[in-house]
Amino acid sequence: MTALTTLTRPQKAAAILVAMGKPSASRLLKFFKQEELKALIEGARLLRTIPQSDLERIVAEFEAEFTEGAGLLDSADRMDIILNESLSPEEMSAIMGDKKFEVAPEGPPPIWPDLEKLEPARLGAFLTGEHAQTAAMVLSKLSPQAAANVLLAMAKPMRSEIIKRMVTMATIPEAATKIVENQLRSSVLSQTSTKDTSAGQARVASVLNEMDKPQLEEVMHDLEAVGTPDLDGVRSRLFAFDDLPLLTQKARVLLFDGLSTELVTLALRGAPPALTESVLSAIGARSRRMIESELGQGSEGIALADIMAARKTISVATIRLSREGAFELPATQNAAA
């Protein structure tokens, strides 16, 4: 971190140009002489992070006004970008002489897609400890659905304060955005394993889905007791044929619209009346009459293994549609509640 007392006037000028951003700084650079530009570049080479408070004092010295939030910058790299986009290679060569001036490397990619993959409660807990303006800025960068999920995971007073600031938020300076990105990258994403566990979650869920409902619930209870990680991801993939009544009517209609009456009839043989009714209520009148007629003839001669296979097919179809975003599984809905 650079101490204010050790900065030369060219370094202070470089800090202000960096804080102004590329568009404004580029226009001003046209008015500098070659020796002045050389002094700025040399000053920027030794310039590092400047605290916001020190930047404000520098600005006061130069009697200028700057956008709030620009200050915590890697000034040398930013000055490289500004100069490269403002001056031609020939101009840079004339200024720097034999010194090689390299284009600053691109920074890390935006972190917002990675933040959207985090559990809303985790991100919400972190933002609760930050200033409401910072939280509002972060949520404004996320997709509406992701931002809504995070807000719902926060306490009402903080939630209201953040929304109020989001409503009145103006354009966010690029420098301020980079500052917040770096903070989130080091404090939130660095604590989150970059390993994708979705494959493991799907694998465990596929095993559990083969169990009967009581066995499945017992295993999940045991996993929770020992603190198994990523259980929410496993739970969101669990679904049994007996859970059909827990789906919304709209979800059941969508599900059975794509299944044959023969498959549904086979799966409903021996099913409890309440479950049977929840299925039939989502099927058209003509198909319902056909299924009810078949079920009325009894299940004699039909192998239990065939019935269970039909139920499994329906369960798999339900999970597939939920993963495609058609609707949510009951486990996901219950977790959200």
Side-chain angles (χ1 to χ4, degrees), residues 38 64 77 83 87 110 118 121 168 193 198 207 209 228 245 281 298 305 308 317:
K38 186 173 183 179
D77 287 345
L83 291 171
L87 304 176
L118 295 178
T168 58
S193 173
S198 59
V207 173
N209 278 323
T228 304
S281 66
M308 299 308 294

Side-chain angles (χ1 to χ4, degrees), residues 16 49 69 75 116 158 173 195 202 259:
I16 291 176
T49 302
S75 301
E116 293 181 1
M158 185 66 174
K195 182 180 179 181
L259 300 177

